[in-house]
Amino acid sequence: MWIIVLAWLFLFTGQAERASSTSYQLLDSSFMPGTVSAGGSIYSVAQTVGDWGGKSSLEKGEVSFYFGFDGRIFAGAQSIDFALIPDTIFSDKVIELEARAILPVTFTVTRGSATVNGNLLTLTGAGTVEVVASLKGSPEYGAATSVTNTFTVGKATAVVTLAGLAQVYDGSVKLATATTDVAGLTVNLTYDGSSAAPLNAGSYGVVATVDDVNYEGSATGNLVIAKAAQTIT
């Protein structure tokens, strides 16, 4: 809601004669603002007119007082139009936040794994992220109610590759190996549903699953332990 205060001007003119370099002898002061007695008073132009934000001039025995009031436009409470942030998948990409208001908007991360610099949001992990858009008021505009955007950051997918699936029995347990395209991820392996690696010859179903807060992924295969060769003497 807008409240507009328009400018207005007053022009006062009265009969006067010069009394000194800093004041005038008013013949009729009834028009003047404030408490000024009738004709014959000494009215200090420099002081009184200045107090009212005006100007004065003396010409042909008349002193004119000009008073002007500045017009200003005042606004009620503002509103922030903060565009929704869609759910996304964790990555190192930067999200550009969009919010419209009369005054500049400040963004703050109040929850989740993310950082903000100006209007650029950087994700640092998966989970729920909450971003608040706010702004303070000014002499011309009122403050705005903060707006909160909440969105979900899903885990990114890591590619898992199995190896070591063909081995030969030698009396020791046999382990498959797993690597990911993202360094440093933990991968859990099971053999026919058990975390214990097999010992005997045979075929075992292997499932490799990424265990990480920001990434997910899996791979399946078969670990085949061949019988050892023997000789007959």
Side-chain angles (χ1 to χ4, degrees):
M1 180 179 69
W2 296 92
I3 302 173
I4 304 176
V5 181
L6 298 177
W8 68 91
L9 303 172
F10 293 100
L11 178 63
F12 299 101
T13 303
Q15 296 296 316
E17 60 182 18
R18 190 178 185 86
S20 69
S21 60
T22 59
S23 62
Y24 297 100
Q25 178 74 33
L26 295 183
L27 302 181
D28 179 9
S29 61
S30 59
F31 64 89
M32 289 301 296
T35 56
V36 180
S37 60
S41 301
I42 297 296
Y43 202 93
S44 173
V45 174
Q47 178 180 350
T48 306
V49 176
D51 291 343
W52 280 72
K55 299 179 180 179
S56 64
S57 64
L58 180 65
E59 183 179 358
K60 298 179 180 180
E62 292 186 351
V63 59
S64 298
F65 298 94
Y66 174 85
F67 297 93
F69 296 85
D70 293 334
R72 289 188 179 184
I73 299 178
F74 299 91
Q78 296 185 79
S79 62
I80 301 174
D81 182 9
F82 189 8
L84 291 176
I85 306 172
D87 293 343
T88 187
I89 300 299
F90 173 67
S91 69
D92 58 359
K93 70 178 181 180
V94 175
I95 298 174
E96 186 174 355
L97 303 175
E98 298 180 3
R100 292 189 296 272
I102 297 175
L103 296 178
V105 176
T106 299
F107 297 102
T108 306
V109 176
T110 56
R111 178 187 175 191
S113 300
T115 60
V116 64
N117 182 14
N119 71 323
L120 300 179
L121 183 73
T122 300
L123 303 177
T124 58
T128 300
V129 177
E130 187 175 85
V131 182
V132 176
S134 60
L135 62 82
K136 297 180 179 179
S138 70
E140 291 79 17
Y141 302 100
T145 301
S146 298
V147 179
T148 301
N149 256 334
T150 303
F151 65 102
T152 300
V153 180
K155 291 184 177 183
T157 300
V159 177
V160 181
T161 303
L162 285 170
L165 297 180
Q167 302 193 45
V168 177
Y169 173 80
D170 61 2
S172 62
V173 297
K174 301 303 177 183
L175 298 171
T177 60
T179 57
T180 62
D181 60 343
V182 179
L185 300 183
T186 299
V187 180
N188 297 324
L189 291 96
T190 61
Y191 305 86
D192 284 346
S194 173
S195 59
L199 171 66
N200 298 320
S203 178
Y204 303 88
V206 179
V207 177
T209 306
V210 174
D211 182 11
D212 190 81
V213 295
N214 298 323
Y215 291 89
E216 61 184 4
S218 64
T220 60
N222 288 304
L223 169 60
V224 177
I225 303 176
K227 292 182 179 182
Q230 58 177 330
T231 60
I232 299 175
T233 302

